[in-house]
PDB file of all heavy atoms in Angstrom:
ATOM      1  N   PHE A   1     -12.616  45.300   9.568  1.00 96.00           N
ATOM      2  CA  PHE A   1     -13.146  45.354   8.204  1.00 96.00           C
ATOM      3  C   PHE A   1     -12.299  46.315   7.378  1.00 96.00           C
ATOM      4  O   PHE A   1     -12.236  47.506   7.668  1.00 96.00           O
ATOM      5  CB  PHE A   1     -14.604  45.824   8.238  1.00 96.00           C
ATOM      6  CG  PHE A   1     -15.205  46.127   6.902  1.00 96.00           C
ATOM      7  CD1 PHE A   1     -15.306  45.157   5.930  1.00 96.00           C
ATOM      8  CD2 PHE A   1     -15.687  47.398   6.623  1.00 96.00           C
ATOM      9  CE1 PHE A   1     -15.867  45.423   4.686  1.00 96.00           C
ATOM     10  CE2 PHE A   1     -16.254  47.691   5.393  1.00 96.00           C
ATOM     11  CZ  PHE A   1     -16.350  46.695   4.421  1.00 96.00           C
ATOM     12  N   THR A   2     -11.640  45.795   6.359  1.00 95.00           N
ATOM     13  CA  THR A   2     -10.768  46.631   5.529  1.00 95.00           C
ATOM     14  C   THR A   2     -11.158  46.628   4.051  1.00 95.00           C
ATOM     15  O   THR A   2     -10.834  47.548   3.319  1.00 95.00           O
ATOM     16  CB  THR A   2      -9.303  46.184   5.641  1.00 95.00           C
ATOM     17  OG1 THR A   2      -9.193  44.806   5.243  1.00 95.00           O
ATOM     18  CG2 THR A   2      -8.791  46.342   7.067  1.00 95.00           C
ATOM     19  N   TYR A   3     -11.853  45.567   3.604  1.00 94.00           N
ATOM     20  CA  TYR A   3     -12.215  45.497   2.186  1.00 94.00           C
ATOM     21  C   TYR A   3     -13.501  44.686   2.018  1.00 94.00           C
ATOM     22  O   TYR A   3     -13.932  43.963   2.916  1.00 94.00           O
ATOM     23  CB  TYR A   3     -11.099  44.852   1.368  1.00 94.00           C
ATOM     24  CG  TYR A   3     -10.894  43.381   1.657  1.00 94.00           C
ATOM     25  CD1 TYR A   3     -11.599  42.395   0.955  1.00 94.00           C
ATOM     26  CD2 TYR A   3     -10.005  42.960   2.636  1.00 94.00           C
ATOM     27  CE1 TYR A   3     -11.419  41.050   1.230  1.00 94.00           C
ATOM     28  CE2 TYR A   3      -9.823  41.615   2.914  1.00 94.00           C
ATOM     29  CZ  TYR A   3     -10.534  40.663   2.205  1.00 94.00           C
ATOM     30  OH  TYR A   3     -10.366  39.331   2.493  1.00 94.00           O
ATOM     31  N   ASN A   4     -14.094  44.828   0.846  1.00 88.00           N
ATOM     32  CA  ASN A   4     -15.281  44.047   0.515  1.00 88.00           C
ATOM     33  C   ASN A   4     -15.155  43.538  -0.912  1.00 88.00           C
ATOM     34  O   ASN A   4     -14.639  44.232  -1.791  1.00 88.00           O
ATOM     35  CB  ASN A   4     -16.543  44.903   0.650  1.00 88.00           C
ATOM     36  CG  ASN A   4     -17.811  44.093   0.444  1.00 88.00           C
ATOM     37  OD1 ASN A   4     -18.110  43.198   1.235  1.00 88.00           O
ATOM     38  ND2 ASN A   4     -18.548  44.383  -0.607  1.00 88.00           N
ATOM     39  N   VAL A   5     -15.615  42.332  -1.123  1.00 83.00           N
ATOM     40  CA  VAL A   5     -15.608  41.750  -2.460  1.00 83.00           C
ATOM     41  C   VAL A   5     -17.048  41.504  -2.898  1.00 83.00           C
ATOM     42  O   VAL A   5     -17.805  40.811  -2.207  1.00 83.00           O
ATOM     43  CB  VAL A   5     -14.820  40.423  -2.500  1.00 83.00           C
ATOM     44  CG1 VAL A   5     -14.919  39.797  -3.890  1.00 83.00           C
ATOM     45  CG2 VAL A   5     -13.363  40.648  -2.126  1.00 83.00           C
ATOM     46  N   ASP A   6     -17.428  42.078  -4.018  1.00 81.00           N
ATOM     47  CA  ASP A   6     -18.767  41.882  -4.562  1.00 81.00           C
ATOM     48  C   ASP A   6     -18.911  40.430  -4.996  1.00 81.00           C
ATOM     49  O   ASP A   6     -18.161  39.954  -5.861  1.00 81.00           O
ATOM     50  CB  ASP A   6     -18.999  42.826  -5.744  1.00 81.00           C
ATOM     51  CG  ASP A   6     -20.439  42.819  -6.226  1.00 81.00           C
ATOM     52  OD1 ASP A   6     -20.919  41.738  -6.638  1.00 81.00           O
ATOM     53  OD2 ASP A   6     -21.074  43.882  -6.210  1.00 81.00           O
ATOM     54  N   GLU A   7     -19.858  39.720  -4.404  1.00 74.00           N
ATOM     55  CA  GLU A   7     -19.999  38.294  -4.685  1.00 74.00           C
ATOM     56  C   GLU A   7     -20.449  38.019  -6.114  1.00 74.00           C
ATOM     57  O   GLU A   7     -20.208  36.934  -6.645  1.00 74.00           O
ATOM     58  CB  GLU A   7     -20.971  37.659  -3.691  1.00 74.00           C
ATOM     59  CG  GLU A   7     -20.448  37.672  -2.264  1.00 74.00           C
ATOM     60  CD  GLU A   7     -21.309  36.838  -1.331  1.00 74.00           C
ATOM     61  OE1 GLU A   7     -22.339  36.300  -1.790  1.00 74.00           O
ATOM     62  OE2 GLU A   7     -20.945  36.726  -0.152  1.00 74.00           O
ATOM     63  N   LYS A   8     -21.095  38.984  -6.734  1.00 80.00           N
ATOM     64  CA  LYS A   8     -21.563  38.785  -8.114  1.00 80.00           C
ATOM     65  C   LYS A   8     -20.483  39.096  -9.144  1.00 80.00           C
ATOM     66  O   LYS A   8     -20.307  38.359 -10.114  1.00 80.00           O
ATOM     67  CB  LYS A   8     -22.793  39.659  -8.367  1.00 80.00           C
ATOM     68  CG  LYS A   8     -24.013  39.245  -7.558  1.00 80.00           C
ATOM     69  CD  LYS A   8     -25.216  40.112  -7.902  1.00 80.00           C
ATOM     70  CE  LYS A   8     -26.437  39.661  -7.101  1.00 80.00           C
ATOM     71  NZ  LYS A   8     -27.634  40.515  -7.413  1.00 80.00           N
ATOM     72  N   THR A   9     -19.765  40.195  -8.919  1.00 86.00           N
ATOM     73  CA  THR A   9     -18.767  40.623  -9.905  1.00 86.00           C
ATOM     74  C   THR A   9     -17.340  40.243  -9.528  1.00 86.00           C
ATOM     75  O   THR A   9     -16.452  40.223 -10.381  1.00 86.00           O
ATOM     76  CB  THR A   9     -18.824  42.147 -10.094  1.00 86.00           C
ATOM     77  OG1 THR A   9     -18.412  42.788  -8.869  1.00 86.00           O
ATOM     78  CG2 THR A   9     -20.234  42.600 -10.431  1.00 86.00           C
ATOM     79  N   GLY A  10     -17.129  39.962  -8.241  1.00 83.00           N
ATOM     80  CA  GLY A  10     -15.778  39.659  -7.787  1.00 83.00           C
ATOM     81  C   GLY A  10     -14.922  40.903  -7.595  1.00 83.00           C
ATOM     82  O   GLY A  10     -13.745  40.817  -7.242  1.00 83.00           O
ATOM     83  N   GLU A  11     -15.539  42.075  -7.789  1.00 87.00           N
ATOM     84  CA  GLU A  11     -14.788  43.324  -7.669  1.00 87.00           C
ATOM     85  C   GLU A  11     -14.496  43.631  -6.198  1.00 87.00           C
ATOM     86  O   GLU A  11     -15.365  43.546  -5.346  1.00 87.00           O
ATOM     87  CB  GLU A  11     -15.587  44.468  -8.285  1.00 87.00           C
ATOM     88  CG  GLU A  11     -14.867  45.813  -8.236  1.00 87.00           C
ATOM     89  CD  GLU A  11     -15.686  46.926  -8.872  1.00 87.00           C
ATOM     90  OE1 GLU A  11     -16.763  46.634  -9.409  1.00 87.00           O
ATOM     91  OE2 GLU A  11     -15.228  48.076  -8.808  1.00 87.00           O
ATOM     92  N   ARG A  12     -13.257  43.997  -5.933  1.00 92.00           N
ATOM     93  CA  ARG A  12     -12.839  44.302  -4.565  1.00 92.00           C
ATOM     94  C   ARG A  12     -12.821  45.813  -4.348  1.00 92.00           C
ATOM     95  O   ARG A  12     -12.320  46.570  -5.185  1.00 92.00           O
ATOM     96  CB  ARG A  12     -11.458  43.715  -4.286  1.00 92.00           C
ATOM     97  CG  ARG A  12     -10.858  44.169  -2.957  1.00 92.00           C
ATOM     98  CD  ARG A  12      -9.621  43.399  -2.611  1.00 92.00           C
ATOM     99  NE  ARG A  12      -8.877  44.034  -1.504  1.00 92.00           N
ATOM    100  CZ  ARG A  12      -8.119  43.381  -0.644  1.00 92.00           C
ATOM    101  NH1 ARG A  12      -7.964  42.073  -0.764  1.00 92.00           N
ATOM    102  NH2 ARG A  12      -7.484  44.031   0.316  1.00 92.00           N
ATOM    103  N   THR A  13     -13.356  46.236  -3.200  1.00 92.00           N
ATOM    104  CA  THR A  13     -13.325  47.633  -2.797  1.00 92.00           C
ATOM    105  C   THR A  13     -12.593  47.732  -1.473  1.00 92.00           C
ATOM    106  O   THR A  13     -12.979  47.072  -0.501  1.00 92.00           O
ATOM    107  CB  THR A  13     -14.746  48.205  -2.637  1.00 92.00           C
ATOM    108  OG1 THR A  13     -15.468  48.058  -3.860  1.00 92.00           O
ATOM    109  CG2 THR A  13     -14.686  49.675  -2.250  1.00 92.00           C
ATOM    110  N   ASP A  14     -11.539  48.513  -1.419  1.00 95.00           N
ATOM    111  CA  ASP A  14     -10.780  48.699  -0.186  1.00 95.00           C
ATOM    112  C   ASP A  14     -11.352  49.883   0.593  1.00 95.00           C
ATOM    113  O   ASP A  14     -11.604  50.954   0.033  1.00 95.00           O
ATOM    114  CB  ASP A  14      -9.306  48.953  -0.498  1.00 95.00           C
ATOM    115  CG  ASP A  14      -8.623  47.722  -1.064  1.00 95.00           C
ATOM    116  OD1 ASP A  14      -8.825  46.631  -0.505  1.00 95.00           O
ATOM    117  OD2 ASP A  14      -7.890  47.846  -2.072  1.00 95.00           O
ATOM    118  N   PHE A  15     -11.532  49.677   1.901  1.00 95.00           N
ATOM    119  CA  PHE A  15     -12.101  50.713   2.757  1.00 95.00           C
ATOM    120  C   PHE A  15     -11.081  51.277   3.747  1.00 95.00           C
ATOM    121  O   PHE A  15     -11.187  52.423   4.150  1.00 95.00           O
ATOM    122  CB  PHE A  15     -13.301  50.153   3.529  1.00 95.00           C
ATOM    123  CG  PHE A  15     -14.502  49.912   2.665  1.00 95.00           C
ATOM    124  CD1 PHE A  15     -14.744  48.650   2.139  1.00 95.00           C
ATOM    125  CD2 PHE A  15     -15.381  50.931   2.356  1.00 95.00           C
ATOM    126  CE1 PHE A  15     -15.854  48.414   1.332  1.00 95.00           C
ATOM    127  CE2 PHE A  15     -16.486  50.723   1.553  1.00 95.00           C
ATOM    128  CZ  PHE A  15     -16.723  49.450   1.039  1.00 95.00           C
ATOM    129  N   ARG A  16     -10.148  50.471   4.187  1.00 95.00           N
ATOM    130  CA  ARG A  16      -9.086  50.919   5.079  1.00 95.00           C
ATOM    131  C   ARG A  16      -7.759  50.346   4.595  1.00 95.00           C
ATOM    132  O   ARG A  16      -7.727  49.263   4.024  1.00 95.00           O
ATOM    133  CB  ARG A  16      -9.305  50.430   6.508  1.00 95.00           C
ATOM    134  CG  ARG A  16     -10.621  50.717   7.164  1.00 95.00           C
ATOM    135  CD  ARG A  16     -10.569  50.247   8.625  1.00 95.00           C
ATOM    136  NE  ARG A  16     -11.880  50.077   9.221  1.00 95.00           N
ATOM    137  CZ  ARG A  16     -12.573  51.048   9.799  1.00 95.00           C
ATOM    138  NH1 ARG A  16     -12.076  52.257   9.852  1.00 95.00           N
ATOM    139  NH2 ARG A  16     -13.766  50.811  10.335  1.00 95.00           N
ATOM    140  N   GLU A  17      -6.692  51.060   4.872  1.00 94.00           N
ATOM    141  CA  GLU A  17      -5.367  50.531   4.563  1.00 94.00           C
ATOM    142  C   GLU A  17      -5.009  49.402   5.527  1.00 94.00           C
ATOM    143  O   GLU A  17      -4.292  48.471   5.161  1.00 94.00           O
ATOM    144  CB  GLU A  17      -4.311  51.635   4.640  1.00 94.00           C
ATOM    145  CG  GLU A  17      -4.444  52.687   3.541  1.00 94.00           C
ATOM    146  CD  GLU A  17      -3.319  53.704   3.594  1.00 94.00           C
ATOM    147  OE1 GLU A  17      -2.420  53.559   4.457  1.00 94.00           O
ATOM    148  OE2 GLU A  17      -3.338  54.630   2.773  1.00 94.00           O
ATOM    149  N   GLN A  18      -5.504  49.502   6.753  1.00 96.00           N
ATOM    150  CA  GLN A  18      -5.261  48.469   7.754  1.00 96.00           C
ATOM    151  C   GLN A  18      -6.384  48.505   8.784  1.00 96.00           C
ATOM    152  O   GLN A  18      -7.155  49.459   8.850  1.00 96.00           O
ATOM    153  CB  GLN A  18      -3.918  48.688   8.442  1.00 96.00           C
ATOM    154  CG  GLN A  18      -3.791  50.036   9.132  1.00 96.00           C
ATOM    155  CD  GLN A  18      -2.385  50.268   9.667  1.00 96.00           C
ATOM    156  OE1 GLN A  18      -1.463  49.520   9.372  1.00 96.00           O
ATOM    157  NE2 GLN A  18      -2.227  51.302  10.468  1.00 96.00           N
ATOM    158  N   ALA A  19      -6.472  47.451   9.566  1.00 97.00           N
ATOM    159  CA  ALA A  19      -7.511  47.369  10.584  1.00 97.00           C
ATOM    160  C   ALA A  19      -7.340  48.477  11.615  1.00 97.00           C
ATOM    161  O   ALA A  19      -6.243  49.021  11.803  1.00 97.00           O
ATOM    162  CB  ALA A  19      -7.460  46.003  11.265  1.00 97.00           C
ATOM    163  N   VAL A  20      -8.427  48.799  12.293  1.00 98.00           N
ATOM    164  CA  VAL A  20      -8.381  49.773  13.385  1.00 98.00           C
ATOM    165  C   VAL A  20      -7.490  49.212  14.494  1.00 98.00           C
ATOM    166  O   VAL A  20      -7.478  48.002  14.756  1.00 98.00           O
ATOM    167  CB  VAL A  20      -9.801  50.036  13.924  1.00 98.00           C
ATOM    168  CG1 VAL A  20      -9.763  50.922  15.164  1.00 98.00           C
ATOM    169  CG2 VAL A  20     -10.681  50.666  12.841  1.00 98.00           C
ATOM    170  N   ASP A  21      -6.741  50.080  15.129  1.00 98.00           N
ATOM    171  CA  ASP A  21      -5.928  49.674  16.285  1.00 98.00           C
ATOM    172  C   ASP A  21      -6.893  49.399  17.443  1.00 98.00           C
ATOM    173  O   ASP A  21      -7.269  50.313  18.176  1.00 98.00           O
ATOM    174  CB  ASP A  21      -4.947  50.792  16.640  1.00 98.00           C
ATOM    175  CG  ASP A  21      -4.023  50.428  17.798  1.00 98.00           C
ATOM    176  OD1 ASP A  21      -4.297  49.437  18.505  1.00 98.00           O
ATOM    177  OD2 ASP A  21      -3.027  51.156  18.005  1.00 98.00           O
ATOM    178  N   HIS A  22      -7.292  48.141  17.584  1.00 98.00           N
ATOM    179  CA  HIS A  22      -8.319  47.823  18.574  1.00 98.00           C
ATOM    180  C   HIS A  22      -7.834  48.047  20.007  1.00 98.00           C
ATOM    181  O   HIS A  22      -8.631  48.377  20.884  1.00 98.00           O
ATOM    182  CB  HIS A  22      -8.797  46.378  18.410  1.00 98.00           C
ATOM    183  CG  HIS A  22      -7.791  45.343  18.780  1.00 98.00           C
ATOM    184  ND1 HIS A  22      -6.813  44.916  17.907  1.00 98.00           N
ATOM    185  CD2 HIS A  22      -7.600  44.649  19.930  1.00 98.00           C
ATOM    186  CE1 HIS A  22      -6.057  44.001  18.503  1.00 98.00           C
ATOM    187  NE2 HIS A  22      -6.517  43.822  19.732  1.00 98.00           N
ATOM    188  N   LYS A  23      -6.543  47.906  20.235  1.00 98.00           N
ATOM    189  CA  LYS A  23      -6.019  48.126  21.586  1.00 98.00           C
ATOM    190  C   LYS A  23      -6.184  49.586  21.994  1.00 98.00           C
ATOM    191  O   LYS A  23      -6.617  49.893  23.109  1.00 98.00           O
ATOM    192  CB  LYS A  23      -4.561  47.704  21.676  1.00 98.00           C
ATOM    193  CG  LYS A  23      -4.348  46.205  21.526  1.00 98.00           C
ATOM    194  CD  LYS A  23      -2.885  45.835  21.702  1.00 98.00           C
ATOM    195  CE  LYS A  23      -2.669  44.325  21.572  1.00 98.00           C
ATOM    196  NZ  LYS A  23      -1.249  43.955  21.756  1.00 98.00           N
ATOM    197  N   ALA A  24      -5.853  50.485  21.077  1.00 98.00           N
ATOM    198  CA  ALA A  24      -6.009  51.914  21.359  1.00 98.00           C
ATOM    199  C   ALA A  24      -7.482  52.287  21.478  1.00 98.00           C
ATOM    200  O   ALA A  24      -7.878  53.085  22.334  1.00 98.00           O
ATOM    201  CB  ALA A  24      -5.337  52.741  20.262  1.00 98.00           C
ATOM    202  N   ALA A  25      -8.320  51.688  20.610  1.00 98.00           N
ATOM    203  CA  ALA A  25      -9.755  51.976  20.646  1.00 98.00           C
ATOM    204  C   ALA A  25     -10.378  51.523  21.962  1.00 98.00           C
ATOM    205  O   ALA A  25     -11.135  52.269  22.600  1.00 98.00           O
ATOM    206  CB  ALA A  25     -10.454  51.291  19.472  1.00 98.00           C
ATOM    207  N   LEU A  26     -10.042  50.312  22.395  1.00 98.00           N
ATOM    208  CA  LEU A  26     -10.606  49.799  23.641  1.00 98.00           C
ATOM    209  C   LEU A  26     -10.095  50.579  24.844  1.00 98.00           C
ATOM    210  O   LEU A  26     -10.829  50.790  25.820  1.00 98.00           O
ATOM    211  CB  LEU A  26     -10.283  48.313  23.786  1.00 98.00           C
ATOM    212  CG  LEU A  26     -10.974  47.388  22.778  1.00 98.00           C
ATOM    213  CD1 LEU A  26     -10.510  45.950  22.967  1.00 98.00           C
ATOM    214  CD2 LEU A  26     -12.498  47.474  22.907  1.00 98.00           C
ATOM    215  N   ALA A  27      -8.859  51.026  24.782  1.00 98.00           N
ATOM    216  CA  ALA A  27      -8.314  51.835  25.875  1.00 98.00           C
ATOM    217  C   ALA A  27      -9.063  53.158  25.989  1.00 98.00           C
ATOM    218  O   ALA A  27      -9.338  53.640  27.100  1.00 98.00           O
ATOM    219  CB  ALA A  27      -6.826  52.089  25.655  1.00 98.00           C
ATOM    220  N   LYS A  28      -9.406  53.755  24.844  1.00 98.00           N
ATOM    221  CA  LYS A  28     -10.160  55.010  24.843  1.00 98.00           C
ATOM    222  C   LYS A  28     -11.547  54.802  25.436  1.00 98.00           C
ATOM    223  O   LYS A  28     -12.028  55.607  26.260  1.00 98.00           O
ATOM    224  CB  LYS A  28     -10.277  55.545  23.412  1.00 98.00           C
ATOM    225  CG  LYS A  28     -11.172  56.775  23.260  1.00 98.00           C
ATOM    226  CD  LYS A  28     -10.620  57.980  23.985  1.00 98.00           C
ATOM    227  CE  LYS A  28     -11.478  59.202  23.716  1.00 98.00           C
ATOM    228  NZ  LYS A  28     -10.937  60.413  24.357  1.00 98.00           N
ATOM    229  N   ILE A  29     -12.210  53.727  25.030  1.00 98.00           N
ATOM    230  CA  ILE A  29     -13.549  53.435  25.546  1.00 98.00           C
ATOM    231  C   ILE A  29     -13.497  53.194  27.048  1.00 98.00           C
ATOM    232  O   ILE A  29     -14.315  53.719  27.809  1.00 98.00           O
ATOM    233  CB  ILE A  29     -14.147  52.216  24.817  1.00 98.00           C
ATOM    234  CG1 ILE A  29     -14.324  52.530  23.329  1.00 98.00           C
ATOM    235  CG2 ILE A  29     -15.485  51.814  25.454  1.00 98.00           C
ATOM    236  CD1 ILE A  29     -14.568  51.309  22.468  1.00 98.00           C
ATOM    237  N   LYS A  30     -12.530  52.424  27.478  1.00 98.00           N
ATOM    238  CA  LYS A  30     -12.395  52.112  28.906  1.00 98.00           C
ATOM    239  C   LYS A  30     -12.197  53.374  29.728  1.00 98.00           C
ATOM    240  O   LYS A  30     -12.803  53.551  30.789  1.00 98.00           O
ATOM    241  CB  LYS A  30     -11.228  51.144  29.120  1.00 98.00           C
ATOM    242  CG  LYS A  30     -11.077  50.673  30.558  1.00 98.00           C
ATOM    243  CD  LYS A  30      -9.896  49.713  30.695  1.00 98.00           C
ATOM    244  CE  LYS A  30      -9.756  49.230  32.136  1.00 98.00           C
ATOM    245  NZ  LYS A  30      -8.567  48.358  32.314  1.00 98.00           N
ATOM    246  N   ALA A  31     -11.349  54.270  29.232  1.00 98.00           N
ATOM    247  CA  ALA A  31     -11.086  55.515  29.956  1.00 98.00           C
ATOM    248  C   ALA A  31     -12.329  56.392  30.025  1.00 98.00           C
ATOM    249  O   ALA A  31     -12.500  57.172  30.976  1.00 98.00           O
ATOM    250  CB  ALA A  31      -9.954  56.277  29.279  1.00 98.00           C
ATOM    251  N   SER A  32     -13.219  56.263  29.051  1.00 98.00           N
ATOM    252  CA  SER A  32     -14.428  57.089  29.007  1.00 98.00           C
ATOM    253  C   SER A  32     -15.545  56.534  29.878  1.00 98.00           C
ATOM    254  O   SER A  32     -16.524  57.229  30.159  1.00 98.00           O
ATOM    255  CB  SER A  32     -14.928  57.197  27.562  1.00 98.00           C
ATOM    256  OG  SER A  32     -13.944  57.772  26.721  1.00 98.00           O
ATOM    257  N   MET A  33     -15.419  55.287  30.316  1.00 98.00           N
ATOM    258  CA  MET A  33     -16.464  54.645  31.108  1.00 98.00           C
ATOM    259  C   MET A  33     -16.311  54.934  32.591  1.00 98.00           C
ATOM    260  O   MET A  33     -15.201  55.034  33.101  1.00 98.00           O
ATOM    261  CB  MET A  33     -16.425  53.123  30.889  1.00 98.00           C
ATOM    262  CG  MET A  33     -16.864  52.674  29.513  1.00 98.00           C
ATOM    263  SD  MET A  33     -16.534  50.896  29.238  1.00 98.00           S
ATOM    264  CE  MET A  33     -17.423  50.143  30.619  1.00 98.00           C
ATOM    265  N   LYS A  34     -17.449  55.049  33.275  1.00 98.00           N
ATOM    266  CA  LYS A  34     -17.426  55.120  34.730  1.00 98.00           C
ATOM    267  C   LYS A  34     -16.886  53.806  35.293  1.00 98.00           C
ATOM    268  O   LYS A  34     -16.907  52.777  34.611  1.00 98.00           O
ATOM    269  CB  LYS A  34     -18.828  55.372  35.277  1.00 98.00           C
ATOM    270  CG  LYS A  34     -19.416  56.727  34.921  1.00 98.00           C
ATOM    271  CD  LYS A  34     -20.825  56.876  35.482  1.00 98.00           C
ATOM    272  CE  LYS A  34     -21.417  58.243  35.162  1.00 98.00           C
ATOM    273  NZ  LYS A  34     -22.808  58.371  35.671  1.00 98.00           N
ATOM    274  N   ASP A  35     -16.443  53.840  36.518  1.00 98.00           N
ATOM    275  CA  ASP A  35     -15.896  52.620  37.116  1.00 98.00           C
ATOM    276  C   ASP A  35     -16.930  51.508  37.207  1.00 98.00           C
ATOM    277  O   ASP A  35     -16.577  50.325  37.177  1.00 98.00           O
ATOM    278  CB  ASP A  35     -15.322  52.924  38.504  1.00 98.00           C
ATOM    279  CG  ASP A  35     -14.052  53.768  38.432  1.00 98.00           C
ATOM    280  OD1 ASP A  35     -13.390  53.755  37.367  1.00 98.00           O
ATOM    281  OD2 ASP A  35     -13.728  54.437  39.433  1.00 98.00           O
TER     282      ASP A  35
END
């Protein structure tokens, strides 16, 4: 999720410059989990 467009006004709001690095995120979660 990087942006949202208001369906009534059409106005765009940017929330992130780019998507989260899901590979790095999942690697962090995996390392934090018990076997």
Side-chain angles (χ1 to χ4, degrees):
F1 171 61
T2 58
Y3 68 89
N4 185 65
V5 176
D6 188 300
E7 294 190 357
K8 293 183 179 179
T9 66
E11 181 179 356
R12 171 170 167 151
T13 303
D14 291 314
F15 289 96
R16 307 185 199 274
E17 292 184 2
Q18 59 186 10
V20 173
D21 182 346
H22 69 276
K23 293 183 179 181
L26 292 177
K28 174 65 175 183
I29 297 165
K30 185 180 181 183
S32 301
M33 290 171 56
K34 294 179 179 178
D35 290 337

